[in-house]
Structures are given as C-alpha cells and as structure tokens.
PDB file of all heavy atoms in Angstrom:
ATOM      1  N   GLY A   9     -38.883 -32.367   6.523  1.00 66.00           N
ATOM      2  CA  GLY A   9     -39.385 -32.984   5.292  1.00 66.00           C
ATOM      3  C   GLY A   9     -39.309 -34.431   5.227  1.00 66.00           C
ATOM      4  O   GLY A   9     -39.924 -35.127   4.341  1.00 66.00           O
ATOM      5  N   GLY A  10     -38.556 -35.036   6.124  1.00 62.00           N
ATOM      6  CA  GLY A  10     -38.460 -36.481   6.165  1.00 62.00           C
ATOM      7  C   GLY A  10     -37.525 -37.147   5.126  1.00 62.00           C
ATOM      8  O   GLY A  10     -37.423 -38.310   5.013  1.00 62.00           O
ATOM      9  N   ASN A  11     -36.865 -36.238   4.381  1.00 67.00           N
ATOM     10  CA  ASN A  11     -35.937 -36.709   3.321  1.00 67.00           C
ATOM     11  C   ASN A  11     -34.515 -36.981   3.832  1.00 67.00           C
ATOM     12  O   ASN A  11     -33.774 -37.679   3.231  1.00 67.00           O
ATOM     13  CB  ASN A  11     -35.863 -35.716   2.179  1.00 67.00           C
ATOM     14  CG  ASN A  11     -37.190 -35.536   1.488  1.00 67.00           C
ATOM     15  OD1 ASN A  11     -37.953 -36.465   1.321  1.00 67.00           O
ATOM     16  ND2 ASN A  11     -37.468 -34.288   1.051  1.00 67.00           N
ATOM     17  N   ALA A  12     -34.195 -36.415   5.006  1.00 72.00           N
ATOM     18  CA  ALA A  12     -32.878 -36.638   5.554  1.00 72.00           C
ATOM     19  C   ALA A  12     -32.765 -37.992   6.174  1.00 72.00           C
ATOM     20  O   ALA A  12     -33.641 -38.499   6.901  1.00 72.00           O
ATOM     21  CB  ALA A  12     -32.596 -35.570   6.601  1.00 72.00           C
ATOM     22  N   ALA A  13     -31.567 -38.660   5.795  1.00 80.00           N
ATOM     23  CA  ALA A  13     -31.360 -40.005   6.450  1.00 80.00           C
ATOM     24  C   ALA A  13     -31.196 -39.872   7.931  1.00 80.00           C
ATOM     25  O   ALA A  13     -30.755 -38.820   8.425  1.00 80.00           O
ATOM     26  CB  ALA A  13     -30.127 -40.589   5.783  1.00 80.00           C
ATOM     27  N   GLU A  14     -31.539 -40.856   8.675  1.00 82.00           N
ATOM     28  CA  GLU A  14     -31.405 -40.802  10.118  1.00 82.00           C
ATOM     29  C   GLU A  14     -30.029 -40.530  10.558  1.00 82.00           C
ATOM     30  O   GLU A  14     -29.787 -39.804  11.554  1.00 82.00           O
ATOM     31  CB  GLU A  14     -31.907 -42.148  10.700  1.00 82.00           C
ATOM     32  CG  GLU A  14     -32.192 -42.165  12.154  1.00 82.00           C
ATOM     33  CD  GLU A  14     -33.293 -41.119  12.538  1.00 82.00           C
ATOM     34  OE1 GLU A  14     -34.219 -41.040  11.815  1.00 82.00           O
ATOM     35  OE2 GLU A  14     -33.234 -40.525  13.589  1.00 82.00           O
ATOM     36  N   ALA A  15     -29.013 -41.112   9.883  1.00 86.00           N
ATOM     37  CA  ALA A  15     -27.646 -40.845  10.232  1.00 86.00           C
ATOM     38  C   ALA A  15     -27.239 -39.426  10.025  1.00 86.00           C
ATOM     39  O   ALA A  15     -26.243 -38.946  10.638  1.00 86.00           O
ATOM     40  CB  ALA A  15     -26.783 -41.852   9.393  1.00 86.00           C
ATOM     41  N   CYS A  16     -27.955 -38.679   9.135  1.00 86.00           N
ATOM     42  CA  CYS A  16     -27.577 -37.304   8.853  1.00 86.00           C
ATOM     43  C   CYS A  16     -28.173 -36.315   9.800  1.00 86.00           C
ATOM     44  O   CYS A  16     -27.696 -35.169   9.892  1.00 86.00           O
ATOM     45  CB  CYS A  16     -28.052 -36.914   7.428  1.00 86.00           C
ATOM     46  SG  CYS A  16     -27.173 -37.839   6.120  1.00 86.00           S
ATOM     47  N   ARG A  17     -29.201 -36.693  10.488  1.00 84.00           N
ATOM     48  CA  ARG A  17     -29.952 -35.706  11.357  1.00 84.00           C
ATOM     49  C   ARG A  17     -29.085 -35.044  12.456  1.00 84.00           C
ATOM     50  O   ARG A  17     -29.188 -33.841  12.616  1.00 84.00           O
ATOM     51  CB  ARG A  17     -31.154 -36.383  11.993  1.00 84.00           C
ATOM     52  CG  ARG A  17     -32.267 -36.661  10.916  1.00 84.00           C
ATOM     53  CD  ARG A  17     -33.506 -37.337  11.520  1.00 84.00           C
ATOM     54  NE  ARG A  17     -34.583 -37.351  10.527  1.00 84.00           N
ATOM     55  CZ  ARG A  17     -35.423 -36.386  10.275  1.00 84.00           C
ATOM     56  NH1 ARG A  17     -35.410 -35.344  11.049  1.00 84.00           N
ATOM     57  NH2 ARG A  17     -36.324 -36.523   9.346  1.00 84.00           N
ATOM     58  N   PRO A  18     -28.228 -35.756  13.171  1.00 86.00           N
ATOM     59  CA  PRO A  18     -27.388 -35.052  14.137  1.00 86.00           C
ATOM     60  C   PRO A  18     -26.493 -33.996  13.508  1.00 86.00           C
ATOM     61  O   PRO A  18     -26.263 -32.934  14.008  1.00 86.00           O
ATOM     62  CB  PRO A  18     -26.558 -36.206  14.776  1.00 86.00           C
ATOM     63  CG  PRO A  18     -27.416 -37.415  14.560  1.00 86.00           C
ATOM     64  CD  PRO A  18     -28.030 -37.260  13.262  1.00 86.00           C
ATOM     65  N   THR A  19     -25.944 -34.344  12.267  1.00 86.00           N
ATOM     66  CA  THR A  19     -25.061 -33.362  11.580  1.00 86.00           C
ATOM     67  C   THR A  19     -25.829 -32.196  11.100  1.00 86.00           C
ATOM     68  O   THR A  19     -25.340 -31.049  11.230  1.00 86.00           O
ATOM     69  CB  THR A  19     -24.370 -34.127  10.421  1.00 86.00           C
ATOM     70  OG1 THR A  19     -23.521 -35.176  10.963  1.00 86.00           O
ATOM     71  CG2 THR A  19     -23.491 -33.126   9.673  1.00 86.00           C
ATOM     72  N   LEU A  20     -27.010 -32.423  10.525  1.00 82.00           N
ATOM     73  CA  LEU A  20     -27.789 -31.350   9.972  1.00 82.00           C
ATOM     74  C   LEU A  20     -28.161 -30.367  11.117  1.00 82.00           C
ATOM     75  O   LEU A  20     -28.188 -29.100  10.897  1.00 82.00           O
ATOM     76  CB  LEU A  20     -29.123 -31.874   9.342  1.00 82.00           C
ATOM     77  CG  LEU A  20     -28.886 -32.557   7.979  1.00 82.00           C
ATOM     78  CD1 LEU A  20     -30.232 -33.165   7.559  1.00 82.00           C
ATOM     79  CD2 LEU A  20     -28.413 -31.574   6.956  1.00 82.00           C
ATOM     80  N   GLY A  21     -28.414 -30.895  12.313  1.00 82.00           N
ATOM     81  CA  GLY A  21     -28.752 -30.022  13.457  1.00 82.00           C
ATOM     82  C   GLY A  21     -27.592 -29.096  13.867  1.00 82.00           C
ATOM     83  O   GLY A  21     -27.818 -28.077  14.514  1.00 82.00           O
ATOM     84  N   LEU A  22     -26.328 -29.500  13.426  1.00 85.00           N
ATOM     85  CA  LEU A  22     -25.150 -28.702  13.822  1.00 85.00           C
ATOM     86  C   LEU A  22     -24.608 -27.777  12.688  1.00 85.00           C
ATOM     87  O   LEU A  22     -23.720 -27.001  12.912  1.00 85.00           O
ATOM     88  CB  LEU A  22     -24.033 -29.628  14.311  1.00 85.00           C
ATOM     89  CG  LEU A  22     -24.327 -30.464  15.570  1.00 85.00           C
ATOM     90  CD1 LEU A  22     -23.167 -31.495  15.802  1.00 85.00           C
ATOM     91  CD2 LEU A  22     -24.527 -29.579  16.773  1.00 85.00           C
ATOM     92  N   LEU A  23     -25.149 -28.002  11.485  1.00 84.00           N
ATOM     93  CA  LEU A  23     -24.486 -27.291  10.333  1.00 84.00           C
ATOM     94  C   LEU A  23     -24.659 -25.733  10.390  1.00 84.00           C
ATOM     95  O   LEU A  23     -23.746 -25.048   9.971  1.00 84.00           O
ATOM     96  CB  LEU A  23     -25.188 -27.752   9.053  1.00 84.00           C
ATOM     97  CG  LEU A  23     -24.670 -29.131   8.516  1.00 84.00           C
ATOM     98  CD1 LEU A  23     -25.339 -29.478   7.147  1.00 84.00           C
ATOM     99  CD2 LEU A  23     -23.171 -29.171   8.384  1.00 84.00           C
ATOM    100  N   GLY A  24     -25.733 -25.216  10.961  1.00 80.00           N
ATOM    101  CA  GLY A  24     -25.905 -23.802  11.096  1.00 80.00           C
ATOM    102  C   GLY A  24     -24.765 -23.207  11.919  1.00 80.00           C
ATOM    103  O   GLY A  24     -24.176 -22.176  11.556  1.00 80.00           O
ATOM    104  N   ALA A  25     -24.515 -23.820  13.036  1.00 82.00           N
ATOM    105  CA  ALA A  25     -23.427 -23.344  13.925  1.00 82.00           C
ATOM    106  C   ALA A  25     -22.041 -23.540  13.312  1.00 82.00           C
ATOM    107  O   ALA A  25     -21.178 -22.738  13.470  1.00 82.00           O
ATOM    108  CB  ALA A  25     -23.500 -24.027  15.303  1.00 82.00           C
ATOM    109  N   HIS A  26     -21.958 -24.651  12.548  1.00 84.00           N
ATOM    110  CA  HIS A  26     -20.690 -24.924  11.906  1.00 84.00           C
ATOM    111  C   HIS A  26     -20.363 -23.887  10.865  1.00 84.00           C
ATOM    112  O   HIS A  26     -19.140 -23.486  10.725  1.00 84.00           O
ATOM    113  CB  HIS A  26     -20.748 -26.354  11.248  1.00 84.00           C
ATOM    114  CG  HIS A  26     -19.411 -26.841  10.700  1.00 84.00           C
ATOM    115  ND1 HIS A  26     -18.305 -26.692  11.386  1.00 84.00           N
ATOM    116  CD2 HIS A  26     -19.075 -27.511   9.541  1.00 84.00           C
ATOM    117  CE1 HIS A  26     -17.226 -27.199  10.701  1.00 84.00           C
ATOM    118  NE2 HIS A  26     -17.788 -27.727   9.650  1.00 84.00           N
ATOM    119  N   VAL A  27     -21.326 -23.410  10.083  1.00 80.00           N
ATOM    120  CA  VAL A  27     -21.103 -22.372   9.063  1.00 80.00           C
ATOM    121  C   VAL A  27     -20.512 -21.124   9.710  1.00 80.00           C
ATOM    122  O   VAL A  27     -19.607 -20.523   9.117  1.00 80.00           O
ATOM    123  CB  VAL A  27     -22.409 -22.097   8.308  1.00 80.00           C
ATOM    124  CG1 VAL A  27     -22.277 -20.845   7.441  1.00 80.00           C
ATOM    125  CG2 VAL A  27     -22.781 -23.278   7.449  1.00 80.00           C
ATOM    126  N   ARG A  28     -21.032 -20.717  10.848  1.00 76.00           N
ATOM    127  CA  ARG A  28     -20.531 -19.526  11.512  1.00 76.00           C
ATOM    128  C   ARG A  28     -19.430 -19.826  12.474  1.00 76.00           C
ATOM    129  O   ARG A  28     -19.101 -18.940  13.300  1.00 76.00           O
ATOM    130  CB  ARG A  28     -21.695 -18.747  12.196  1.00 76.00           C
ATOM    131  CG  ARG A  28     -22.410 -19.521  13.319  1.00 76.00           C
ATOM    132  CD  ARG A  28     -23.470 -18.602  13.929  1.00 76.00           C
ATOM    133  NE  ARG A  28     -24.122 -19.263  15.034  1.00 76.00           N
ATOM    134  CZ  ARG A  28     -25.159 -20.070  14.865  1.00 76.00           C
ATOM    135  NH1 ARG A  28     -25.766 -20.211  13.730  1.00 76.00           N
ATOM    136  NH2 ARG A  28     -25.725 -20.668  15.921  1.00 76.00           N
ATOM    137  N   GLU A  29     -18.806 -21.033  12.456  1.00 80.00           N
ATOM    138  CA  GLU A  29     -17.705 -21.362  13.255  1.00 80.00           C
ATOM    139  C   GLU A  29     -18.040 -21.298  14.719  1.00 80.00           C
ATOM    140  O   GLU A  29     -17.224 -20.843  15.549  1.00 80.00           O
ATOM    141  CB  GLU A  29     -16.467 -20.613  12.913  1.00 80.00           C
ATOM    142  CG  GLU A  29     -16.051 -20.749  11.422  1.00 80.00           C
ATOM    143  CD  GLU A  29     -14.811 -19.968  11.080  1.00 80.00           C
ATOM    144  OE1 GLU A  29     -14.378 -19.157  11.942  1.00 80.00           O
ATOM    145  OE2 GLU A  29     -14.264 -20.120   9.997  1.00 80.00           O
ATOM    146  N   GLY A  30     -19.212 -21.778  15.075  1.00 81.00           N
ATOM    147  CA  GLY A  30     -19.660 -21.663  16.452  1.00 81.00           C
ATOM    148  C   GLY A  30     -19.605 -22.936  17.248  1.00 81.00           C
ATOM    149  O   GLY A  30     -20.158 -23.033  18.305  1.00 81.00           O
ATOM    150  N   LEU A  31     -19.035 -24.005  16.635  1.00 86.00           N
ATOM    151  CA  LEU A  31     -18.973 -25.333  17.272  1.00 86.00           C
ATOM    152  C   LEU A  31     -17.734 -25.478  18.070  1.00 86.00           C
ATOM    153  O   LEU A  31     -16.689 -24.876  17.764  1.00 86.00           O
ATOM    154  CB  LEU A  31     -19.113 -26.461  16.218  1.00 86.00           C
ATOM    155  CG  LEU A  31     -20.453 -26.599  15.526  1.00 86.00           C
ATOM    156  CD1 LEU A  31     -20.326 -27.701  14.466  1.00 86.00           C
ATOM    157  CD2 LEU A  31     -21.572 -26.865  16.463  1.00 86.00           C
ATOM    158  N   SER A  32     -17.767 -26.413  18.994  1.00 89.00           N
ATOM    159  CA  SER A  32     -16.544 -26.797  19.708  1.00 89.00           C
ATOM    160  C   SER A  32     -15.685 -27.588  18.786  1.00 89.00           C
ATOM    161  O   SER A  32     -16.140 -28.072  17.759  1.00 89.00           O
ATOM    162  CB  SER A  32     -16.856 -27.660  20.969  1.00 89.00           C
ATOM    163  OG  SER A  32     -17.466 -28.850  20.522  1.00 89.00           O
ATOM    164  N   ARG A  33     -14.386 -27.727  19.150  1.00 89.00           N
ATOM    165  CA  ARG A  33     -13.463 -28.539  18.304  1.00 89.00           C
ATOM    166  C   ARG A  33     -14.001 -29.962  18.141  1.00 89.00           C
ATOM    167  O   ARG A  33     -13.888 -30.513  17.026  1.00 89.00           O
ATOM    168  CB  ARG A  33     -12.111 -28.583  18.963  1.00 89.00           C
ATOM    169  CG  ARG A  33     -11.324 -27.260  18.863  1.00 89.00           C
ATOM    170  CD  ARG A  33      -9.968 -27.437  19.380  1.00 89.00           C
ATOM    171  NE  ARG A  33      -9.174 -26.121  19.308  1.00 89.00           N
ATOM    172  CZ  ARG A  33      -7.878 -26.046  19.678  1.00 89.00           C
ATOM    173  NH1 ARG A  33      -7.241 -27.104  20.143  1.00 89.00           N
ATOM    174  NH2 ARG A  33      -7.261 -24.850  19.604  1.00 89.00           N
ATOM    175  N   ARG A  34     -14.509 -30.550  19.236  1.00 90.00           N
ATOM    176  CA  ARG A  34     -15.034 -31.898  19.119  1.00 90.00           C
ATOM    177  C   ARG A  34     -16.155 -32.079  18.103  1.00 90.00           C
ATOM    178  O   ARG A  34     -16.197 -32.905  17.311  1.00 90.00           O
ATOM    179  CB  ARG A  34     -15.450 -32.338  20.532  1.00 90.00           C
ATOM    180  CG  ARG A  34     -16.004 -33.750  20.533  1.00 90.00           C
ATOM    181  CD  ARG A  34     -16.370 -34.163  21.963  1.00 90.00           C
ATOM    182  NE  ARG A  34     -16.925 -35.485  22.058  1.00 90.00           N
ATOM    183  CZ  ARG A  34     -17.317 -36.079  23.151  1.00 90.00           C
ATOM    184  NH1 ARG A  34     -17.277 -35.413  24.310  1.00 90.00           N
ATOM    185  NH2 ARG A  34     -17.830 -37.274  23.126  1.00 90.00           N
ATOM    186  N   ASP A  35     -17.160 -31.095  18.249  1.00 90.00           N
ATOM    187  CA  ASP A  35     -18.274 -31.161  17.342  1.00 90.00           C
ATOM    188  C   ASP A  35     -17.913 -30.824  15.919  1.00 90.00           C
ATOM    189  O   ASP A  35     -18.427 -31.424  14.998  1.00 90.00           O
ATOM    190  CB  ASP A  35     -19.371 -30.196  17.850  1.00 90.00           C
ATOM    191  CG  ASP A  35     -20.101 -30.775  19.021  1.00 90.00           C
ATOM    192  OD1 ASP A  35     -20.085 -31.999  19.286  1.00 90.00           O
ATOM    193  OD2 ASP A  35     -20.743 -29.969  19.768  1.00 90.00           O
ATOM    194  N   THR A  36     -16.945 -29.915  15.771  1.00 90.00           N
ATOM    195  CA  THR A  36     -16.492 -29.571  14.441  1.00 90.00           C
ATOM    196  C   THR A  36     -15.832 -30.775  13.782  1.00 90.00           C
ATOM    197  O   THR A  36     -16.083 -31.103  12.559  1.00 90.00           O
ATOM    198  CB  THR A  36     -15.467 -28.431  14.498  1.00 90.00           C
ATOM    199  OG1 THR A  36     -16.054 -27.244  15.005  1.00 90.00           O
ATOM    200  CG2 THR A  36     -14.853 -28.096  13.129  1.00 90.00           C
ATOM    201  N   ALA A  37     -15.011 -31.499  14.508  1.00 91.00           N
ATOM    202  CA  ALA A  37     -14.370 -32.693  13.957  1.00 91.00           C
ATOM    203  C   ALA A  37     -15.408 -33.746  13.617  1.00 91.00           C
ATOM    204  O   ALA A  37     -15.373 -34.448  12.553  1.00 91.00           O
ATOM    205  CB  ALA A  37     -13.416 -33.257  14.962  1.00 91.00           C
ATOM    206  N   LYS A  38     -16.482 -33.870  14.482  1.00 90.00           N
ATOM    207  CA  LYS A  38     -17.566 -34.867  14.219  1.00 90.00           C
ATOM    208  C   LYS A  38     -18.265 -34.532  12.928  1.00 90.00           C
ATOM    209  O   LYS A  38     -18.543 -35.449  12.075  1.00 90.00           O
ATOM    210  CB  LYS A  38     -18.478 -34.940  15.391  1.00 90.00           C
ATOM    211  CG  LYS A  38     -19.521 -35.974  15.334  1.00 90.00           C
ATOM    212  CD  LYS A  38     -20.588 -35.773  16.390  1.00 90.00           C
ATOM    213  CE  LYS A  38     -19.941 -35.759  17.761  1.00 90.00           C
ATOM    214  NZ  LYS A  38     -20.971 -35.675  18.843  1.00 90.00           N
ATOM    215  N   VAL A  39     -18.653 -33.298  12.744  1.00 89.00           N
ATOM    216  CA  VAL A  39     -19.387 -32.895  11.555  1.00 89.00           C
ATOM    217  C   VAL A  39     -18.474 -33.019  10.333  1.00 89.00           C
ATOM    218  O   VAL A  39     -18.959 -33.537   9.280  1.00 89.00           O
ATOM    219  CB  VAL A  39     -19.807 -31.374  11.725  1.00 89.00           C
ATOM    220  CG1 VAL A  39     -20.343 -30.851  10.352  1.00 89.00           C
ATOM    221  CG2 VAL A  39     -20.875 -31.302  12.721  1.00 89.00           C
ATOM    222  N   ASP A  40     -17.214 -32.653  10.406  1.00 91.00           N
ATOM    223  CA  ASP A  40     -16.330 -32.790   9.205  1.00 91.00           C
ATOM    224  C   ASP A  40     -16.161 -34.252   8.849  1.00 91.00           C
ATOM    225  O   ASP A  40     -16.118 -34.596   7.625  1.00 91.00           O
ATOM    226  CB  ASP A  40     -14.973 -32.147   9.527  1.00 91.00           C
ATOM    227  CG  ASP A  40     -15.027 -30.682   9.594  1.00 91.00           C
ATOM    228  OD1 ASP A  40     -15.963 -30.103   9.019  1.00 91.00           O
ATOM    229  OD2 ASP A  40     -14.107 -30.072  10.124  1.00 91.00           O
ATOM    230  N   ARG A  41     -16.054 -35.185   9.814  1.00 91.00           N
ATOM    231  CA  ARG A  41     -15.931 -36.589   9.484  1.00 91.00           C
ATOM    232  C   ARG A  41     -17.154 -37.082   8.779  1.00 91.00           C
ATOM    233  O   ARG A  41     -17.087 -37.846   7.800  1.00 91.00           O
ATOM    234  CB  ARG A  41     -15.684 -37.419  10.773  1.00 91.00           C
ATOM    235  CG  ARG A  41     -14.241 -37.380  11.266  1.00 91.00           C
ATOM    236  CD  ARG A  41     -13.991 -38.464  12.312  1.00 91.00           C
ATOM    237  NE  ARG A  41     -14.960 -38.435  13.436  1.00 91.00           N
ATOM    238  CZ  ARG A  41     -14.743 -37.748  14.561  1.00 91.00           C
ATOM    239  NH1 ARG A  41     -13.638 -36.982  14.624  1.00 91.00           N
ATOM    240  NH2 ARG A  41     -15.617 -37.757  15.564  1.00 91.00           N
ATOM    241  N   HIS A  42     -18.281 -36.660   9.239  1.00 91.00           N
ATOM    242  CA  HIS A  42     -19.551 -37.098   8.567  1.00 91.00           C
ATOM    243  C   HIS A  42     -19.613 -36.600   7.152  1.00 91.00           C
ATOM    244  O   HIS A  42     -19.990 -37.323   6.240  1.00 91.00           O
ATOM    245  CB  HIS A  42     -20.749 -36.639   9.362  1.00 91.00           C
ATOM    246  CG  HIS A  42     -22.044 -37.000   8.710  1.00 91.00           C
ATOM    247  ND1 HIS A  42     -22.679 -38.225   8.881  1.00 91.00           N
ATOM    248  CD2 HIS A  42     -22.876 -36.253   7.914  1.00 91.00           C
ATOM    249  CE1 HIS A  42     -23.784 -38.213   8.158  1.00 91.00           C
ATOM    250  NE2 HIS A  42     -23.892 -37.080   7.578  1.00 91.00           N
ATOM    251  N   MET A  43     -19.323 -35.296   6.945  1.00 90.00           N
ATOM    252  CA  MET A  43     -19.410 -34.781   5.664  1.00 90.00           C
ATOM    253  C   MET A  43     -18.353 -35.335   4.701  1.00 90.00           C
ATOM    254  O   MET A  43     -18.613 -35.344   3.469  1.00 90.00           O
ATOM    255  CB  MET A  43     -19.269 -33.214   5.686  1.00 90.00           C
ATOM    256  CG  MET A  43     -20.521 -32.517   6.297  1.00 90.00           C
ATOM    257  SD  MET A  43     -20.551 -30.822   5.886  1.00 90.00           S
ATOM    258  CE  MET A  43     -19.080 -30.155   6.726  1.00 90.00           C
ATOM    259  N   ASP A  44     -17.231 -35.805   5.157  1.00 91.00           N
ATOM    260  CA  ASP A  44     -16.252 -36.454   4.319  1.00 91.00           C
ATOM    261  C   ASP A  44     -16.883 -37.637   3.569  1.00 91.00           C
ATOM    262  O   ASP A  44     -16.441 -37.938   2.379  1.00 91.00           O
ATOM    263  CB  ASP A  44     -15.050 -36.945   5.155  1.00 91.00           C
ATOM    264  CG  ASP A  44     -14.173 -35.767   5.575  1.00 91.00           C
ATOM    265  OD1 ASP A  44     -14.259 -34.702   4.961  1.00 91.00           O
ATOM    266  OD2 ASP A  44     -13.355 -35.980   6.507  1.00 91.00           O
ATOM    267  N   GLY A  45     -17.839 -38.280   4.167  1.00 89.00           N
ATOM    268  CA  GLY A  45     -18.425 -39.444   3.495  1.00 89.00           C
ATOM    269  C   GLY A  45     -19.901 -39.246   3.137  1.00 89.00           C
ATOM    270  O   GLY A  45     -20.558 -40.234   2.763  1.00 89.00           O
ATOM    271  N   CYS A  46     -20.360 -38.014   3.185  1.00 89.00           N
ATOM    272  CA  CYS A  46     -21.751 -37.813   2.909  1.00 89.00           C
ATOM    273  C   CYS A  46     -21.989 -36.644   1.925  1.00 89.00           C
ATOM    274  O   CYS A  46     -21.875 -35.488   2.335  1.00 89.00           O
ATOM    275  CB  CYS A  46     -22.574 -37.532   4.188  1.00 89.00           C
ATOM    276  SG  CYS A  46     -24.377 -37.257   3.942  1.00 89.00           S
ATOM    277  N   ALA A  47     -22.245 -36.936   0.717  1.00 88.00           N
ATOM    278  CA  ALA A  47     -22.399 -35.905  -0.344  1.00 88.00           C
ATOM    279  C   ALA A  47     -23.644 -35.074  -0.058  1.00 88.00           C
ATOM    280  O   ALA A  47     -23.655 -33.829  -0.347  1.00 88.00           O
ATOM    281  CB  ALA A  47     -22.539 -36.567  -1.687  1.00 88.00           C
ATOM    282  N   ASP A  48     -24.718 -35.662   0.491  1.00 84.00           N
ATOM    283  CA  ASP A  48     -25.960 -34.912   0.744  1.00 84.00           C
ATOM    284  C   ASP A  48     -25.692 -33.743   1.726  1.00 84.00           C
ATOM    285  O   ASP A  48     -26.140 -32.596   1.564  1.00 84.00           O
ATOM    286  CB  ASP A  48     -27.052 -35.808   1.246  1.00 84.00           C
ATOM    287  CG  ASP A  48     -27.568 -36.765   0.185  1.00 84.00           C
ATOM    288  OD1 ASP A  48     -27.347 -36.436  -1.038  1.00 84.00           O
ATOM    289  OD2 ASP A  48     -28.183 -37.847   0.485  1.00 84.00           O
ATOM    290  N   CYS A  49     -25.012 -34.085   2.820  1.00 86.00           N
ATOM    291  CA  CYS A  49     -24.740 -33.099   3.819  1.00 86.00           C
ATOM    292  C   CYS A  49     -23.766 -32.046   3.326  1.00 86.00           C
ATOM    293  O   CYS A  49     -23.845 -30.883   3.804  1.00 86.00           O
ATOM    294  CB  CYS A  49     -24.276 -33.728   5.128  1.00 86.00           C
ATOM    295  SG  CYS A  49     -25.565 -34.619   6.086  1.00 86.00           S
ATOM    296  N   ARG A  50     -22.872 -32.508   2.527  1.00 86.00           N
ATOM    297  CA  ARG A  50     -21.914 -31.484   1.928  1.00 86.00           C
ATOM    298  C   ARG A  50     -22.650 -30.475   1.022  1.00 86.00           C
ATOM    299  O   ARG A  50     -22.392 -29.311   1.041  1.00 86.00           O
ATOM    300  CB  ARG A  50     -20.807 -32.213   1.056  1.00 86.00           C
ATOM    301  CG  ARG A  50     -19.752 -32.910   1.892  1.00 86.00           C
ATOM    302  CD  ARG A  50     -18.504 -33.160   1.032  1.00 86.00           C
ATOM    303  NE  ARG A  50     -18.810 -33.961  -0.144  1.00 86.00           N
ATOM    304  CZ  ARG A  50     -18.774 -35.271  -0.217  1.00 86.00           C
ATOM    305  NH1 ARG A  50     -18.546 -35.987   0.848  1.00 86.00           N
ATOM    306  NH2 ARG A  50     -19.016 -35.899  -1.343  1.00 86.00           N
ATOM    307  N   ALA A  51     -23.672 -30.981   0.363  1.00 81.00           N
ATOM    308  CA  ALA A  51     -24.471 -30.140  -0.501  1.00 81.00           C
ATOM    309  C   ALA A  51     -25.201 -29.121   0.312  1.00 81.00           C
ATOM    310  O   ALA A  51     -25.353 -27.940  -0.023  1.00 81.00           O
ATOM    311  CB  ALA A  51     -25.417 -30.943  -1.384  1.00 81.00           C
ATOM    312  N   VAL A  52     -25.839 -29.621   1.454  1.00 81.00           N
ATOM    313  CA  VAL A  52     -26.561 -28.721   2.345  1.00 81.00           C
ATOM    314  C   VAL A  52     -25.657 -27.685   2.927  1.00 81.00           C
ATOM    315  O   VAL A  52     -25.968 -26.412   3.014  1.00 81.00           O
ATOM    316  CB  VAL A  52     -27.303 -29.419   3.450  1.00 81.00           C
ATOM    317  CG1 VAL A  52     -27.895 -28.555   4.466  1.00 81.00           C
ATOM    318  CG2 VAL A  52     -28.343 -30.392   2.851  1.00 81.00           C
ATOM    319  N   TYR A  53     -24.438 -28.103   3.291  1.00 83.00           N
ATOM    320  CA  TYR A  53     -23.447 -27.118   3.921  1.00 83.00           C
ATOM    321  C   TYR A  53     -23.057 -26.062   2.856  1.00 83.00           C
ATOM    322  O   TYR A  53     -22.934 -24.922   3.242  1.00 83.00           O
ATOM    323  CB  TYR A  53     -22.198 -27.955   4.358  1.00 83.00           C
ATOM    324  CG  TYR A  53     -21.095 -27.103   4.898  1.00 83.00           C
ATOM    325  CD1 TYR A  53     -21.218 -26.580   6.167  1.00 83.00           C
ATOM    326  CD2 TYR A  53     -19.978 -26.748   4.114  1.00 83.00           C
ATOM    327  CE1 TYR A  53     -20.191 -25.792   6.708  1.00 83.00           C
ATOM    328  CE2 TYR A  53     -18.944 -25.973   4.672  1.00 83.00           C
ATOM    329  CZ  TYR A  53     -19.105 -25.488   5.946  1.00 83.00           C
ATOM    330  OH  TYR A  53     -18.063 -24.689   6.428  1.00 83.00           O
ATOM    331  N   ALA A  54     -22.857 -26.500   1.634  1.00 80.00           N
ATOM    332  CA  ALA A  54     -22.514 -25.517   0.638  1.00 80.00           C
ATOM    333  C   ALA A  54     -23.607 -24.489   0.412  1.00 80.00           C
ATOM    334  O   ALA A  54     -23.389 -23.274   0.206  1.00 80.00           O
ATOM    335  CB  ALA A  54     -22.232 -26.253  -0.720  1.00 80.00           C
ATOM    336  N   GLU A  55     -24.865 -24.966   0.456  1.00 76.00           N
ATOM    337  CA  GLU A  55     -25.986 -24.037   0.288  1.00 76.00           C
ATOM    338  C   GLU A  55     -26.061 -23.051   1.383  1.00 76.00           C
ATOM    339  O   GLU A  55     -26.382 -21.795   1.326  1.00 76.00           O
ATOM    340  CB  GLU A  55     -27.297 -24.799   0.191  1.00 76.00           C
ATOM    341  CG  GLU A  55     -27.401 -25.589  -1.225  1.00 76.00           C
ATOM    342  CD  GLU A  55     -28.562 -26.485  -1.234  1.00 76.00           C
ATOM    343  OE1 GLU A  55     -29.172 -26.771  -0.184  1.00 76.00           O
ATOM    344  OE2 GLU A  55     -28.944 -26.913  -2.368  1.00 76.00           O
ATOM    345  N   LEU A  56     -25.797 -23.523   2.635  1.00 79.00           N
ATOM    346  CA  LEU A  56     -25.803 -22.726   3.832  1.00 79.00           C
ATOM    347  C   LEU A  56     -24.706 -21.658   3.796  1.00 79.00           C
ATOM    348  O   LEU A  56     -24.813 -20.511   4.203  1.00 79.00           O
ATOM    349  CB  LEU A  56     -25.777 -23.507   5.112  1.00 79.00           C
ATOM    350  CG  LEU A  56     -26.941 -24.418   5.425  1.00 79.00           C
ATOM    351  CD1 LEU A  56     -26.585 -25.256   6.677  1.00 79.00           C
ATOM    352  CD2 LEU A  56     -28.140 -23.541   5.724  1.00 79.00           C
TER     353      LEU A  56
END
C-alpha cells in the first residue's frame, strides 16, 4: 500500500513469523526493539 515507513518495512516482513514464534533470537530481539519505539508496527502486530 505504500503507507509503511521505510524504516518499518524490514520489521513488517518479519511480523508474521514473530507472531507464531518462528524467528531466531537475534531477529526476535531486533523486531522487539523496533516495536518498542514504533506504535504503527505495534498496532499491526496486535492485529496479527
């Protein structure tokens, strides 16, 4: 849709696997750090 900020795109690409706990520890920590400071990605994660 083009609405996602460029900085959010790598995280959005990993959220599906993150929901089902399919990420490595490193990627999980990376996604969690991003969501700590990003309300938009937290909202998408909650919906997923």
